C-alpha cells in the first residue's frame, strides 16, 4: 500500500508538472479525445497523497524521503543547468528576433554601427529638410540629435550593443542570441549565489524561480538590456562573496560591465564597494578595494567620456539630464506600482523573501550573502523609485538586475521557514511552496504575456521593411513613427518622424520633400492614425487623402501610402506576415541625393 501511494503521488506530480510546463496536453486515441489543461488538480492530488503517507507511514516515509533527497542532491547543479538551458531555448524559440520599435531597434542598429566603425562619433544625416525641427525629425526612435548640427547619436547605453556587435561573428542572428545566452547565464549565476547563501537546495530553488519568473520570461524574448543586466549584476554578487583577491578584481569587472549596460544604477556599485570594505581587515581590505575599484573607475571614465561626446556632459544620458528623469515626487507613485507588480506576478509568497532578514531566521545560512542580496535589491529599487513612473506591469523589468537576488532571498525564506518543522514535513512544505509559486507565475505569464502572439506580432517590422526595400524607389523617403527605425533598418530607406515635424509645416512636408527630389511615403500603424490625422489636419472621420499602396491587416494593421503629388491610384498590395527570414541583416541605406 505504501509503495502504491508513493507511485501514485509521483505520477500525479509528474503529470501536473508536464501539463504546467507544456501549457496543456491534448491527445486523440482511437477517436477519443484526452485533454488536460489545468495542472492544479494533479499537483494537489500528488501533494495530498504525500501528506497521507507522511501521516500513515511516518517512519517509512521519513526514510524514503531522506533517501530520495540524498540521491537528488548530487544532481542539483545539473537541475540548475537544465533550468538555464530551458529558459534559453524558450527565449530563442519565442524571441522576437526583430529590430522593431524603439528599444529593440535602438540596441540592434547601434550594434551594427559599432561593428562598422561609424560609432562612437556622431552619425551625419544623409539628407536636409527645411522645417525648423529638421534634426529632431530625422532621428528615428532610439536616437536623438547629436552635439554637432545635422548629426544623431544613440539614446541607449553602449554595453549591450557592444556585446551584440561582437556576436555578429556568428551571423545576422548573433545580436538576437545575446539575450537568450544571458538568460541562461543569469539562471546559473542565481544558482551559484543561492548556493553561497544557503546551500545547493537554496540555489536550485532560486534558479527555478528565476527561470519561471514572468518578468524574466517576458524580457528574455526581447533584444534589450534588462536580462543581460541581471546576469552581470548577479555575477558581481557571486564574485563579491568569494574571499580571494582575484574575486575582488572579478567583481569589479562584472560591475564595470553592468555599468556599461545599465549606467542608471549609480547606487549599486556603492553596495559592492561597501561590501569590499567590510569583508576583510587591514592591508587586505585596501587591496580588495583597489582591485575592485580599478575596472569600475575605468568603466565610469569611459561612460563619462562617451556621454560627454554624445550628450554634452557626463551627467546627461540619452534620456536627458538626471534632474529631468529622477525626482523625489516619483517615489510615492512608484511605491504603489513595483510592490503590486511583484505581488501579482511572483505570487503573494514573495513576502517570504523578508524572512531571512528577521532575527528568528537570520541565524541560518550566510549572513554576508543575505545582507548583500538584500542591499542589491534595495539599491536597485531605490534607483527606480525616483525614476519616472510607468503604468504597465512589465516595467518591473527595471528591477531585473536584482530579481535573482530577490529569488535567492525567497528561496532562503522558504527553506528557513520549513526548518521550523520536522524534516519530513519540511520537505513537503518546500515542495508545496515551490509548486504553488511556479503554478501561479505560469498562470500569470500565460494570461498577460503569451509568447507566440508576441513573436508573430513583432515580425510585422521585418515584413513591412522588406516590402519597402523591394517596392519603393531609390529616392523614396518614409514618414513614420513606430516604424521609423525598422523601415530604416530593414527597408534601407531614410525615415522622418512625422510627429516631430513642426505642426504648421506638417501638411506641406510631402511637397517640400518632392521639391528636394525625394519621393515621400507614409508607413503608419493603425493605432497611430488618430494622432496623424490631427497633426496633418485631416478630419477625424475622413480617409487619408493619399492612395494606399500596401496593407498588412494582421498584427495590429500597418498601411503604406504614397504621398507624392503624382501618385497614381492602384490596387493596394497585401503584405503577408511571416514571409521573411527570421534573422534579416540590414541592407545599405539608399538615398538618392537631389
Amino acid at each position: 500500500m505504501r509503495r502504491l501511494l508513493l507511485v501514485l503521488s509521483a505520477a500525479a506530480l509528474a503529470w501536473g508538472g508536464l501539463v504546467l510546463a507544456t501549457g496543456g496536453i491534448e491527445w486523440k486515441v482511437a477517436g477519443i479525445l484526452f485533454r488536460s489543461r489545468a495542472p492544479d488538480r494533479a499537483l494537489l492530488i500528488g501533494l495530498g497523497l504525500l501528506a497521507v503517507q507522511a501521516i500513515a507511514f511516518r517512519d517509512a516515509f521519513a526514510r524514503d524521503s531522506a533517501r530520495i533527497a540524498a540521491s537528488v542532491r548530487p544532481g542539483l547543479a545539473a537541475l540548475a543547468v537544465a533550468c538555464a538551458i530551458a529558459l534559453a531555448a524558450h527565449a530563442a524559440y519565442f524571441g522576437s528576433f526583430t529590430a522593431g520599435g524603439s528599444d529593440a531597434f535602438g540596441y540592434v542598429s547601434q550594434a551594427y554601427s559599432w561593428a562598422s566603425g561609424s560609432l562612437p562619433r556622431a552619425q551625419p544625416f544623409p539628407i536636409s529638410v527645411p522645417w525648423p525641427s529638421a534634426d529632431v525629425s530625422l532621428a528615428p526612435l532610439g536616437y536623438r540629435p547629436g552635439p554637432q548640427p545635422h548629426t544623431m547619436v544613440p539614446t541607449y547605453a553602449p554595453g549591450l550593443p557592444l556585446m551584440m556587435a561582437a556576436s555578429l561573428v556568428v551571423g545576422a542572428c548573433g545580436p538576437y542570441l545575446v539575450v537568450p545566452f544571458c538568460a541562461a547565464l543569469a539562471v546559473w549565476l542565481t544558482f551559484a549565489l543561492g548556493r553561497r547563501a544557503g546551500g545547493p537546495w537554496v540555489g536550485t530553488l532560486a534558479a527555478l524561480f528565476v527561470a519561471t519568473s514572468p518578468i524574466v520570461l517576458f524580457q528574455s524574448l526581447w533584444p534589450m538590456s534588462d536580462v543581460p543586466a541581471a546576469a552581470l549584476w548577479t555575477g558581481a554578487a557571486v564574485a563579491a562573496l568569494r574571499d580571494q583577491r582575484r574575486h575582488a578584481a572579478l567583481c569589479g569587472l562584472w560591475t564595470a560591465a553592468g555599468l556599461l549596460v545599465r549606467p542608471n544604477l549609480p547606487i549599486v556599485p556603492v553596495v559592492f564597494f561597501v561590501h569590499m570594505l567590510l569583508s576583510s581587515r587591514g592591508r587586505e581590505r585596501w587591496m580588495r578595494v583597489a582591485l575592485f575599484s580599478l575596472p569600475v573607475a575605468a568603466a565610469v571614465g569611459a561612460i563619462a567620456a562617451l556621454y560627454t561626446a554624445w550628450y554634452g556632459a557626463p551627467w546627461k544620458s540619452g534620456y536627458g539630464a538626471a534632474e529631468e528623469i529622477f525626482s523625489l515626487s516619483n517615489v510615492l507613485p512608484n511605491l504603489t506600482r513595483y510592490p503590486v507588480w511583484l505581488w501579482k506576478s511572483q505570487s503573494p509568497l514573495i513576502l517570504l523573501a523578508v524572512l531571512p532578514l528577521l532575527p528568528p531566521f537570520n541565524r541560518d545560512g550566510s549572513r554576508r550573502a543575505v545582507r548583500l542580496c538584500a542591499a542589491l535589491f534595495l539599491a536597485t529599487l531605490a534607483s527606480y523609485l525616483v525614476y519616472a513612473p510607468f503604468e504597465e506591469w512589465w516595467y518591473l523589468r527595471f528591477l531585473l538586475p536584482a530579481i535573482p537576488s530577490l529569488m535567492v532571498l525567497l528561496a532562503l525564506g522558504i527553506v528557513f521557514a520549513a526548518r521550523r518543522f520536522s524534516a519530513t514535513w519540511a520537505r513537503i512544505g518546500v515542495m508545496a511552496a515551490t509548486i504553488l509559486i511556479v503554478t501561479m507565475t505560469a498562470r500569470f505569464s500565460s494570461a498577460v504575456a503569451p509568447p507566440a502572439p508576441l513573436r508573430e506580432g513583432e515580425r510585422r517590422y521585418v515584413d513591412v521593411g522588406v516590402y519597402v526595400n523591394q517596392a519603393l524607389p531609390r529616392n523614396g523617403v518614409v514618414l513614420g513613427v513606430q516604424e521609423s527605425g525598422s523601415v530604416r533598418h530593414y527597408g534601407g530607406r531614410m525615415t522622418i518622424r512625422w510627429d516631430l515635424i513642426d505642426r504648421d509645416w506638417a501638411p506641406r512636408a510631402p511637397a517640400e520633400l518632392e521639391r528636394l527630389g525625394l519621393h515621400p511615403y507614409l508607413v503608419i500603424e493603425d493605432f497611430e492614425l488618430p494622432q496623424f490625422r490631427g497633426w496633418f489636419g485631416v478630419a477625424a472621420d475622413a480617409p487619408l487623402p493619399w492612395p494606399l499602396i500596401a496593407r498588412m491587416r494582421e498584427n495590429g494593421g500597418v498601411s503604406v501610402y504614397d504621398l507624392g503629388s503624382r501618385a497614381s491610384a492602384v490596387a493596394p498590395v497585401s503584405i503577408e506576415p511571416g514571409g521573411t527570414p527570421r534573422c534579416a541583416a540590414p541592407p545599405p541605406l539608399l538615398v538618392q541625393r537631389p
Side-chain angles (χ1 to χ4, degrees), residues 25 66 72 100 164 192-193 212-213 223 336 380 445 501 505 514 543 549 559 574 583:
I25 296 174
V72 171
M164 289 177 166
L193 182 60
T212 57
S213 169
T336 65
T380 305
S445 293
I501 299 174
W505 278 79
E514 284 190 303
I549 62 171
S559 301
S574 176
C583 300

Side-chain angles (χ1 to χ4, degrees), residues 2 40 44 53 102 112 134 141 222 234 275 454 461 495 513 571:
R2 180 174 63 84
D40 310 61
L44 287 174
Q53 296 172 71
S102 177
Y112 276 94
L141 290 175
W222 304 84
T234 306
H275 177 81
L454 181 150
Y461 293 113
T495 57
L513 291 171

Side-chain angles (χ1 to χ4, degrees), residues 167-180:
S167 71
L168 283 169
V169 297
V170 303
C173 285
Y176 304 103
L177 294 174
V178 172
V179 171

Side-chain angles (χ1 to χ4, degrees), residues 144-501:
R144 56 178 292 171
Q148 295 83 33
H150 211 56
T151 64
M152 71 177 187
V153 293
T155 299
Y156 301 107
L160 177 60
L162 287 170
M163 296 165 64
M164 289 177 166
S167 71
L168 283 169
V169 297
V170 303
C173 285
Y176 304 103
L177 294 174
V178 172
V179 171
F181 171 79
C182 289
L185 182 61
V187 172
W188 172 253
L189 290 171
T190 302
F191 170 76
L193 182 60
R195 183 171 54 185
R196 298 288 299 180
W201 284 104
V202 170
T204 304
L205 288 177
L208 176 62
F209 294 153
V210 167
T212 57
S213 169
I215 191 59
V216 175
L217 285 168
F218 185 73
Q219 286 305 129
S220 66
L221 305 178
W222 304 84
M224 295 167 57
S225 65
D226 306 284
V227 171
L232 294 171
W233 289 112
T234 306
V238 173
L241 293 173
R242 305 295 294 272
D243 294 325
Q244 290 81 14
R245 288 182 181 178
R246 67 177 183 273
H247 294 115
L250 186 60
C251 179
L253 290 172
W254 282 109
T255 302
L259 283 173
L260 288 171
V261 169
R262 187 66 68 84
N264 56 345
L265 286 174
I267 303 176
V268 174
V270 177
V271 170
F272 293 106
F273 183 82
V274 172
H275 177 81
M276 293 295 166
L277 281 176
L278 299 178
S279 60
S280 56
R281 295 288 183 270
R283 182 173 178 270
E284 183 62 25
R285 166 189 294 175
W286 300 111
M287 286 294 298
R288 287 171 61 84
V289 167
L291 290 171
F292 167 79
S293 300
L294 284 175
V296 174
V300 170
I303 294 169
L306 187 63
Y307 278 20
T308 301
W310 281 358
Y311 313 123
W315 55 84
K316 293 183 178 180
S317 72
Y319 305 102
E323 62 272 14
E324 296 172 359
I325 54 179
F326 295 103
S327 172
L328 290 177
S329 63
N330 297 328
V331 172
L332 185 58
N334 282 326
L335 277 176
T336 65
R337 288 168 171 79
Y338 292 119
V340 173
W341 293 337
L342 278 172
W343 175 283
K344 290 182 177 180
S345 64
Q346 295 295 155
S347 86
L349 290 180
I350 193 66
L351 294 176
L352 291 175
V354 178
L355 289 184
L357 309 178
L358 303 179
F361 299 93
N362 63 14
R363 292 187 296 272
D364 299 325
S366 168
R367 295 187 183 181
R368 286 179 61 203
V370 169
R371 286 195 295 263
L372 183 60
C373 288
L376 178 55
F377 176 76
L378 292 175
T380 305
L381 178 62
S383 296
Y384 284 105
L385 284 179
V386 294
Y387 197 68
F390 295 89
E391 299 300 329
E392 298 294 336
W393 77 273
W394 40 264
Y395 280 101
L396 196 59
R397 67 187 180 88
F398 291 151
L399 303 188
L400 261 175
I403 290 295
S405 294
L406 181 63
M407 295 301 106
V408 169
L409 293 175
L410 174 59
L412 283 169
I414 293 172
V415 171
F416 290 174
R419 287 176 182 171
R420 269 48 189 176
F421 303 91
S422 66
T424 298
W425 289 105
R427 296 185 186 104
I428 294 177
V430 169
M431 184 180 298
T434 302
I435 289 173
L436 182 59
I437 290 172
V438 172
T439 302
M440 294 182 71
T441 54
R443 185 177 291 116
F444 182 90
S445 293
S446 62
V448 304
L454 181 150
R455 177 188 59 188
E456 300 308 318
E458 289 297 294
R459 293 299 301 166
R460 73 188 187 277
Y461 293 113
V462 188
D463 297 327
V464 172
V466 170
Y467 165 80
V468 167
N469 179 257
Q470 296 174 350
L472 268 57
R474 296 175 65 89
N475 68 333
V477 62
V478 176
L479 275 66
V481 179
Q482 186 67 19
E483 307 262 350
S484 61
S486 55
V487 164
R488 194 178 297 198
H489 188 77
Y490 296 113
R493 297 297 186 274
M494 187 62 186
T495 57
I496 298 174
R497 290 272 304 270
W498 56 258
D499 63 324
L500 297 179
I501 299 174

